Every structure is written in C-alpha cells, then in structure tokens.
Amino acid sequence: MAILSAETANFASLSGAFLLAFPALFSIVNPFGAALIFAEVTDGRSPAERAMLARRVALYGLLILLLSLWIGSTLLAFFGITIGALRIAGGLVVAVRAWSLLQAPEANEANKERQAYQDGRTASADVASTAFFPLTMPFTVGPGSISVAIALGAERPEAAHVMDRVEFGVGTCLAAVAVCLLVWIAYAGAPRFVRLLGRSGARIVTRLVALILLCIGVQIMVSGIQEILVSTLAQANLVVSGAAHPPGLGSPRLP
C-alpha cells in the first residue's frame, strides 16, 4: 500500500473508512431514536403499509447519502471551495451536532418529530407520497446528514494509490448501506422497538454514540487545518526560494 499523507493514513483501508463513516452516519441519522417517532407518525397504518414506508425511506436515504459521499465535495469544488475548508466546515458541523446530541437528545427528538409531521399531520392519504417527503427528507436524512456525508467524502485520499481510493470509497459506501439497513429494520419493527427500548433507552444509545461522533468531527477539522497549513507553508517556501534565486540570474562566470 502506498504511503499516505498524515490526515488520511488511518482511514485509507476499507475497514478504516468503514469505522470512520459508520459511527458518524449512524449518530447523525440515529435510526433507533427516529424509529420511536416513526412509530408515532405511522400510528394507525397497517403493518404492510409501515413495511413499505420503511423500505422506501431506507432506499431513498441510501441514494441521498451515496450522492453526497461521491459528488458532494466535487460540487462544492466547482464553487471554488477547497477540500481543506470543506473538511473544517464539515468537521465543525459534525462536532456541533454531536455536542447537541450529548447535551439534549430529547430536543433532537422534538425537532425530528416536527419534521416528520406537516402541520401536525402526515399530510396525505396516499402513504407512498410521504415516503420521500417528509419521512426521508428531512426527517431521516436531513441537511445535517448530507453535510456529514460530504465531509466524509472529502476525506478521500486523492493523492494515494488508486486501490487506497477504491477501498476508501467502498468502505464509506458500505457504512451508508449498513446505516440504511438499520433504518429499514428499525422502522419496519418500530412498534416492537418502542416497547423493547423506550425513549430513555434510545437517549442512552444516542449519547454513547454522540461521543464517538464528536471525536470524529474534531479529527476531520484537524485534517482540514493540517492541509491548509501544509499548503500555506509550501507556498511560502516557493516564495522564499524564488526571492533567493530570482529567474534569469545564473551563477557568476569564472574569469
């Protein structure tokens, strides 16, 4: 395996990329906590309708996460946003989100409940029409989840060997698949999950994983700061070298 830069060396392998992406995506999506609210907003639906909604929400959520992972950073680069700046901003979003989850997971639940309901109702008699909005976007995979996915995609080791990039991509995609599978399972079995875990149990799980998410956010920010510092120092060295050896001036001729 090729030697990687300091900020990507720990995450270039498939397992390393998975262990980086899965806790971050799991914490921000929070499938088990969201399942409690999903059970409430789908109350009165038949088991078949609830299973269909769970399947569609998981599929739509996976598509959004994969698009964010693969083209999110490229799209931002089109607007002149550097990878270093993206990492700092994305890491800050992750860290702030994790801090809010650590402090008050019940406030996060209340916010998701407002997103799941449209003016206090699920809005449509057609169950399938609610699968994408509001149950997938913004309830399950909202702006926070998309920001985290873009920040994770920016961690791709661009300067590394091609196999390192492939392994990183596969690892992050598997993490997104795993999170969405958990969404499917948790939503489909939401009534049983409510009885088994309860709100207090879900909040305990949320706080435990939020601590990991906070550490990941700080790590992504450090990577961005390190990249900007390295780039700035390299440019400064070029300026100093150019000043010491201006072009057009050769070594003095011997008599």
Side-chain angles (χ1 to χ4, degrees):
M1 183 179 292
I3 298 176
L4 305 179
S5 59
E7 66 269 20
T8 59
N10 294 330
F11 306 127
S13 67
L14 190 149
S15 59
F18 181 87
L19 292 175
L20 169 71
F22 179 78
L25 293 176
F26 177 84
S27 300
I28 202 75
V29 174
N30 192 15
F32 298 122
L36 302 175
I37 303 169
F38 180 83
E40 294 178 7
V41 300
T42 57
D43 187 32
R45 304 293 188 184
S46 67
E49 288 176 330
R50 187 179 289 110
M52 180 271 293
L53 279 174
R55 183 174 63 253
R56 291 197 179 189
V57 168
L59 178 60
Y60 294 154
L62 178 61
L63 292 176
I64 293 173
L65 290 179
L66 291 179
L67 286 174
S68 301
L69 282 168
W70 283 101
I71 69 172
S73 58
T74 302
L75 185 62
L76 290 181
F78 175 77
F79 295 100
I81 301 173
T82 65
I83 296 298
L86 177 60
R87 285 175 175 171
I88 294 174
L92 183 61
V93 169
V94 174
V96 170
R97 176 67 170 173
W99 183 256
S100 66
L101 288 175
L102 277 172
Q103 296 301 311
E106 59 276 3
N108 177 65
E109 291 173 9
N111 181 55
K112 283 207 166 192
E113 191 166 357
R114 287 192 299 271
Q115 292 173 340
Y117 284 102
Q118 300 177 58
D119 298 326
R121 54 192 173 87
T122 50
S124 177
D126 181 9
V127 181
S129 66
T130 65
F132 184 80
F133 179 84
L135 291 180
T136 300
M137 181 77 180
F139 170 59
T140 303
V141 180
S145 304
I146 293 172
S147 299
V148 170
I150 292 175
L152 289 170
E155 289 292 303
R156 189 181 303 114
E158 299 292 346
H161 191 272
V162 63
M163 284 307 300
D164 295 322
R165 296 197 296 271
V166 170
E167 288 185 7
F168 183 89
V170 171
T172 52
C173 287
L174 287 177
V177 170
V179 168
C180 290
L181 280 176
L182 289 176
V183 168
W184 185 2
I185 294 170
Y187 283 17
R192 293 190 299 273
F193 181 71
V194 168
R195 292 192 297 268
L196 177 65
L197 190 58
R199 286 191 177 273
S200 60
R203 288 169 184 169
I204 292 172
V205 173
T206 298
R207 277 197 167 101
L208 288 175
V209 185
L211 180 60
I212 300 175
L213 180 64
L214 179 60
C215 297
I216 289 175
V218 172
Q219 176 62 50
I220 294 174
M221 289 178 62
V222 169
S223 298
I225 293 171
Q226 183 177 3
E227 179 171 332
I228 290 177
L229 287 177
V230 169
S231 176
T232 303
L233 290 174
Q235 292 178 359
N237 287 334
L238 288 176
V239 171
V240 171
S241 299
H245 305 285
L249 295 180
S251 56
R253 294 183 180 180
L254 296 175

